[in-house]
Amino acid sequence: MRRAPHRNVMTGRVFPLVLTVSLSFTAAGCGSGGTEAALHADVPLHLETALEAATITGSAAPAVQPLVEWNFDELQPDWKPLRTEVEPTLEPVTEQTDGVLRVSLDESMRRPDANRLRGAIFVDLPDWRRADWDHLLIRARASSGFRNVRLAFNLGPRTVPGRDEQFPVEFTGRGTRVFDDGGIHTYRLQVDWSGAFWGEWQDPWRQLVLILIADEPASIDILSVTAVSKAAHYGENPAGVMSLERDGAVRQALYMHAPGKLAYRTRVPTGGRLDFGMGVIQAADSVTFRVSAGVAGDAAKILFEETVADPDTWEQRSVDLSGFAGQSLDLSLEAESQNDGAVALWTAPTLSGGRTSDRPNVVLYVVDGLGWEYMSLYGYNLRTTPNLERLAREGAVFERAYSTSRWTAPSTVSLMTSLQHSVLGGLQRERLQLPGRVVSMAQRFHRAGFQTAVFTGNPWAGRIPGLGREVDVLRDWEMWGDSASSVRLQGEFWRWREMYPGQPYWTHFQTVDVHLPGSLESLGPFDGLYISAERRQEYMDWVRQLRQLRPGHWWRPTPEAFEEAGIDRLQYYEAEQKLYAEAVAHQDHQIGRFVAQLKAAGEWDNTIFVVTADHGQHESGLVMVDPPIPDGNHTHLRPEQNGIPLLIVWPGHIPGGMRFRDPVSLLDLLPTLLDLVGLPPAEMAQGRSLAPLLLGEVPESEWESQPVILDEFYVDPESGELQGWIEVVDGRWGASLEINPPVQPAWAGRGEYDDARGERLAPLLLFDLWNDPYCLDPVNEERPGLVEKYAELLEAQFEAHQALAEHVGAAGEEIVLTPEQLETLRSLGYIQD
């Protein structure tokens, strides 16, 4: 295979320079007529992204597209406060003024057995059918301390137990965290959702209730509430593409209206087949799906026909087109229904055949929270990774790889875009969203014809708004501390391959087998490998004691907590290390098992296989340092924070047994994979391609070593400024610069950042990483010249990040939140109630 010439548009060099970049991106449109040229399927052809090449017949949206809006520019007397059942005289204070409905919660709204303030407002409805409605849009501005907005339905006795039971409502529905930064934001809440708190719904839908929650006395200004019907949701175009969730899977869906037809002229490859899923949006609108085809000029034949009525599932099917191999075919997707305008959903309709492309598959196997210090691949004294050691003999190991941030959300978006966290806008009240102009790794491979899939046990790696764009299938679970995550995710991968066997493909795994080893119930044969059952039980008892002393902060217990509980700190961490080592051995076994399956399926030799991590294992404080690391030298440079493995294998292309000492970053993976596969480089990238090293085009002795930048930032809710750290690893030296230090940390009260408390010793801390790898003693006084050098460098780098952020549109955008994003992102202990 010929590889595209190496080109680096924006390298990882630490210069205060932002290059002028040209942005280009494609979007599926709706064509009104086809073209004479046939679409080719040398690589899998995604029909949903080729919509502009289709001829559309019929597919007219219904004439009536209900959209109901309550705009508080005008008086809306039908909206009223709702009294509680616990204290029937209590209700929130509401006032319609200055174009808003202001709802205020005070201490009287605090439920006796809860630590939050709760109020509710409602409006009567004209007996709607819930199945007719898709979602609500709420535009609102919240003051500091406001926390959540949640849907509830119908006044009356509660049908099933659920949240917010002090209100006289039958059902509780979707909810989301709100920004309490004083800005106007739009929240999208799903209406037609069969979740755990619905029970057996019976129409009509008589009242819409908004339950409002705050941590302290606060108010929320509601500018408008819009109810969007399903007809309106799908009625803007005769056909289009959306990401939709059914059966726990998010899929790319091509929608059209019945009666209608989408016709494509295609050239069928050898072994041609059409794979697709089918779905409807409501049972009353059952749809007959039909696939027909005919050689150009001949009458079309019906190859497939089936009626679907269940709105909660995807029906997966395949049509054999091998008899048309080598021919130009008029291929049609058709939909009929007894109800004109009914929506038909075709999920990831893909035409593929036998492999005709020499582009390799890409498997990105990210092990959440895997620290290289506990891997025998990197010299750990217990044999935890024999399978990865065997794999290393077939590929290359980078001995000093760094994640860009110390937890999943910021590091994952940087991995998938090759852009730093601060460039992408930072974290806003535990929220992160990929700017619309940024193209992710999945999008780049999908647009090159790769089938794309994401399988993760950590929703922070899958459900970040924007990361799911152009992912054919996304399956994620909240599998915190689940040692079976690899088994389950690998099983989903093979089910996907059965449904979509075309190649090449790009897959992102994110397993949590090692994320919190102390909570794992069983590691199978690896239980007891390094620690006895008695010591394990003793450790779990210690964990419970520390939780009781410091609820919400138990995985970073302080020395005072150990002393108060009478627990030997070093014995505690020694037990935790051994449990973690068992989890690493278990994960290593599962990776070896997966590689063996790839080999048995005949896919290994044409696959680039990457094993890495999103961050090190820092949540449980595995590093035994006595005395403990002081608060005042807080930095992300310590190896348990950001030191990660990086192993890349491509049989027959990357020589085996190579080990590289130069520091590299997760930012480098996107440029590297694009370069190896032969795809154009990213228009914007802060990493650099490692392909010349991997392919032996540049000897390591001639490779230009570059510093590695780390950054992690949060948006101050009051000022809107970024607050956090930007850091550099430069050979022997590590420097950490704090930007806009807050009076009170933006993450105050969040246990996973409890170690960040305390006054920092200086804005920039300098460490000798060779002699002090755990960054215990800053060398600022001994090296004043280096302090000045790195302060200037990091300040300039941060300015460059902010300039680049303007290109990607990270700042100043009104954020539209997808249904229940943060409610589903509460896994792994990152957000605590």
Side-chain angles (χ1 to χ4, degrees), residues 359-682:
R359 284 178 174 164
N361 307 314
V362 176
V363 175
L364 183 58
Y365 205 104
V366 180
V367 182
D368 204 299
L370 178 59
W372 62 265
E373 292 180 291
Y374 300 92
M375 302 171 63
S376 52
L377 175 66
Y378 285 86
Y380 187 51
N381 61 357
L382 297 177
R383 191 80 186 280
T384 55
T385 54
N387 287 285
L388 291 180
E389 290 166 48
R390 284 190 286 272
L391 275 181
R393 293 195 284 270
E394 298 184 49
V397 174
F398 290 86
E399 296 184 347
R400 298 180 64 202
Y402 293 86
S403 62
T404 53
S405 301
R406 62 174 177 161
W407 69 288
T408 301
S411 69
T412 300
V413 294
S414 292
L415 163 63
M416 293 301 171
T417 63
S418 192
L419 296 172
Q420 293 281 8
H421 190 213
S422 58
V423 173
L424 297 169
L427 201 70
Q428 303 189 40
R429 285 285 174 177
E430 300 144 359
R431 296 166 187 257
L432 190 145
Q433 176 163 313
L434 203 63
R437 298 173 66 188
V438 173
V439 183
S440 71
M441 188 186 299
Q443 287 177 285
R444 295 184 186 280
F445 279 92
H446 193 268
R447 293 172 186 183
F450 284 65
Q451 297 188 117
T452 55
V454 174
F455 306 102
T456 170
N458 183 347
W460 281 113
R463 295 296 182 94
I464 293 175
L467 277 188
R469 298 175 196 147
E470 299 185 45
V471 174
D472 293 330
V473 175
L474 186 157
R475 276 196 177 271
D476 63 0
W477 291 271
E478 299 180 8
M479 302 179 74
W480 181 20
D482 189 341
S483 60
S485 76
S486 280
V487 175
R488 186 170 183 179
L489 299 178
Q490 290 173 22
E492 290 297 325
F493 169 84
W494 290 113
R495 279 187 281 276
W496 172 65
R497 291 294 298 134
E498 184 178 357
M499 293 188 300
Y500 293 93
Q503 299 187 60
Y505 57 80
W506 173 93
T507 306
H508 167 208
F509 285 96
Q510 189 109 351
T511 68
V512 293
D513 293 40
V514 307
H515 192 278
L516 204 59
S519 68
L520 298 178
E521 293 184 0
S522 174
L523 291 169
F526 298 92
D527 269 335
L529 182 63
Y530 302 126
I531 185 171
S532 69
E534 293 76 17
R535 176 49 64 91
R536 178 192 177 106
Q537 184 57 53
E538 184 178 33
Y539 167 81
M540 297 307 297
D541 292 339
W542 290 340
V543 168
R544 280 188 284 273
Q545 285 180 259
L546 292 169
R547 280 186 182 182
Q548 292 172 358
L549 288 172
R550 302 187 69 226
H553 302 266
W554 59 273
W555 64 55
R556 280 289 191 181
T558 63
E560 294 79 14
F562 282 109
E563 185 175 350
E564 184 178 349
I567 297 171
D568 186 291
R569 193 175 71 88
L570 296 186
Q571 287 188 22
Y572 175 94
Y573 284 135
E574 181 182 13
E576 194 165 74
Q577 284 184 331
K578 296 295 177 60
L579 286 168
Y580 184 75
E582 290 182 352
V584 173
H586 165 83
Q587 175 66 92
D588 174 79
H589 170 73
Q590 297 302 333
I591 292 175
R593 172 177 166 269
F594 182 61
V595 169
Q597 290 173 325
L598 287 173
K599 291 179 177 179
E603 297 184 2
W604 176 251
D605 289 340
N606 203 37
T607 296
I608 298 174
F609 192 78
V610 180
V611 178
T612 188
D614 57 339
H615 56 75
Q617 176 54 29
H618 66 86
E619 277 101 345
S620 299
L622 289 173
V623 178
M624 294 192 298
V625 178
D626 205 7
I629 297 170
D631 287 334
N633 74 349
H634 170 74
T635 175
H636 297 168
L637 294 168
R638 297 192 294 270
E640 86 278 10
Q641 301 271 6
N642 291 72
I644 57 171
L646 180 57
L647 167 63
I648 304 178
V649 182
W650 187 11
H653 295 80
I654 295 176
M658 295 190 297
R659 298 184 76 99
F660 300 110
R661 288 282 302 162
D662 274 330
V664 297
S665 168
L666 273 186
L667 293 174
D668 298 330
L669 260 180
L670 174 60
T672 299
L673 292 173
L674 294 177
D675 201 359
L676 289 174
V677 171
L679 297 180

Side-chain angles (χ1 to χ4, degrees), residues 131-154:
D132 293 336
W133 299 87
D134 190 81
H135 64 273
L136 292 182
L137 294 174
I138 303 172
R139 293 186 70 237
R141 175 178 56 231
S143 68
S144 178
F146 225 92
R147 185 177 182 85
N148 292 79
V149 59
R150 179 173 293 281
L151 296 182
F153 302 85
N154 290 359

Side-chain angles (χ1 to χ4, degrees), residues 11 83 109 184 204 249 310 328 359 464 473 539 586 625 638 686 696 713 740 784 806 818:
T11 71
R83 294 185 175 185
M109 303 304 296
I184 296 173
D310 187 349
S328 290
R359 284 178 174 164
I464 293 175
V473 175
Y539 167 81
H586 165 83
V625 178
R638 297 192 294 270
Q686 291 180 287
F713 282 89
N740 297 328
E806 295 181 6
T818 54

Side-chain angles (χ1 to χ4, degrees), residues 672-804:
T672 299
L673 292 173
L674 294 177
D675 201 359
L676 289 174
V677 171
L679 297 180
E683 300 81 11
M684 293 181 293
Q686 291 180 287
R688 62 170 174 169
S689 173
L690 306 174
L693 259 183
L694 292 168
L695 300 177
E697 297 174 353
V698 177
E700 187 177 11
S701 59
E702 299 177 14
W703 182 255
E704 181 184 356
S705 181
Q706 294 183 1
V708 169
I709 294 292
L710 299 77
D711 84 349
E712 185 174 311
F713 282 89
Y714 302 80
V715 178
D716 181 79
E718 296 183 2
S719 68
E721 293 183 329
L722 290 181
Q723 298 176 335
W725 303 268
I726 184 168
E727 306 182 324
V728 62
V729 175
D730 188 15
R732 175 179 177 179
W733 307 107
S736 172
L737 179 66
E738 187 174 52
I739 301 291
N740 297 328
V743 175
Q744 183 182 28
W747 51 90
R750 297 178 57 198
E752 67 275 23
Y753 294 111
D754 190 60
D755 64 318
R757 297 174 307 151
E759 184 177 352
R760 191 176 170 98
L761 299 175
L764 182 129
L765 298 177
L766 179 70
F767 298 96
D768 182 345
L769 300 180
W770 290 1
N771 298 307
D772 181 22
Y774 291 103
C775 302
L776 297 177
D777 300 305
V779 294
N780 289 40
E781 293 185 5
E782 297 93 321
R783 302 281 184 168
L786 287 179
V787 170
E788 181 179 0
K789 169 188 172 181
Y790 286 115
E792 292 178 357
L793 184 148
L794 289 174
E795 287 171 358
Q797 186 71 46
F798 181 70
E799 291 178 6
H801 289 190
Q802 296 310 286
L804 187 56

Side-chain angles (χ1 to χ4, degrees), residues 159-465:
T159 302
V160 291
R163 303 179 187 180
D164 307 307
E165 291 185 1
Q166 78 255 43
F167 298 106
V169 297
E170 292 184 0
F171 299 99
T172 306
R174 291 279 191 172
T176 186
R177 290 288 296 271
V178 301
F179 287 110
D180 59 352
D181 57 4
I184 296 173
H185 302 286
T186 301
Y187 305 93
R188 183 180 185 276
L189 299 176
Q190 195 76 17
V191 170
D192 189 5
W193 173 61
S194 54
F197 303 114
W198 278 112
E200 292 297 327
W201 174 273
Q202 293 183 358
D203 280 320
W205 179 11
R206 299 183 305 273
Q207 286 91 22
L208 165 62
V209 184
L210 298 182
I211 296 174
L212 308 166
I213 304 170
D215 293 320
E216 58 192 43
S219 64
I220 185 169
D221 292 342
I222 301 175
L223 285 74
S224 65
V225 177
T226 305
V228 181
S229 72
K230 290 181 175 174
H233 186 48
Y234 294 94
E236 295 182 359
N237 297 298
V241 180
M242 292 186 179
S243 292
L244 298 170
E245 181 176 2
R246 303 279 166 84
D247 294 336
V250 178
R251 296 194 186 185
Q252 284 274 105
L254 168 61
Y255 72 83
M256 61 185 295
H257 301 275
K261 179 171 73 172
L262 305 180
Y264 299 83
R265 176 157 294 182
T266 63
R267 178 167 287 276
V268 179
T270 301
R273 56 184 288 161
L274 177 68
D275 298 292
F276 56 91
M278 302 173 292
V280 296
I281 61 173
Q282 52 192 23
D285 286 342
S286 63
V287 173
T288 297
F289 292 78
R290 185 179 299 120
V291 176
S292 61
V295 177
D298 293 343
K301 294 175 56 178
I302 296 175
L303 305 180
F304 171 86
E305 185 173 277
E306 185 173 335
T307 299
V308 175
D310 187 349
D312 296 324
T313 62
W314 299 121
E315 300 291 343
Q316 187 69 33
R317 300 293 183 266
S318 178
V319 174
D320 183 5
L321 299 176
S322 59
F324 300 97
Q327 301 183 68
S328 290
L329 192 69
D330 289 330
L331 181 65
S332 297
L333 307 181
E334 303 174 26
E336 289 187 358
S337 174
Q338 61 183 1
N339 297 328
D340 287 353
V343 175
L345 302 171
W346 301 81
T347 61
T350 306
L351 174 63
S352 65
R355 175 180 280 277
T356 58
S357 169
D358 59 355
R359 284 178 174 164
N361 307 314
V362 176
V363 175
L364 183 58
Y365 205 104
V366 180
V367 182
D368 204 299
L370 178 59
W372 62 265
E373 292 180 291
Y374 300 92
M375 302 171 63
S376 52
L377 175 66
Y378 285 86
Y380 187 51
N381 61 357
L382 297 177
R383 191 80 186 280
T384 55
T385 54
N387 287 285
L388 291 180
E389 290 166 48
R390 284 190 286 272
L391 275 181
R393 293 195 284 270
E394 298 184 49
V397 174
F398 290 86
E399 296 184 347
R400 298 180 64 202
Y402 293 86
S403 62
T404 53
S405 301
R406 62 174 177 161
W407 69 288
T408 301
S411 69
T412 300
V413 294
S414 292
L415 163 63
M416 293 301 171
T417 63
S418 192
L419 296 172
Q420 293 281 8
H421 190 213
S422 58
V423 173
L424 297 169
L427 201 70
Q428 303 189 40
R429 285 285 174 177
E430 300 144 359
R431 296 166 187 257
L432 190 145
Q433 176 163 313
L434 203 63
R437 298 173 66 188
V438 173
V439 183
S440 71
M441 188 186 299
Q443 287 177 285
R444 295 184 186 280
F445 279 92
H446 193 268
R447 293 172 186 183
F450 284 65
Q451 297 188 117
T452 55
V454 174
F455 306 102
T456 170
N458 183 347
W460 281 113
R463 295 296 182 94
I464 293 175

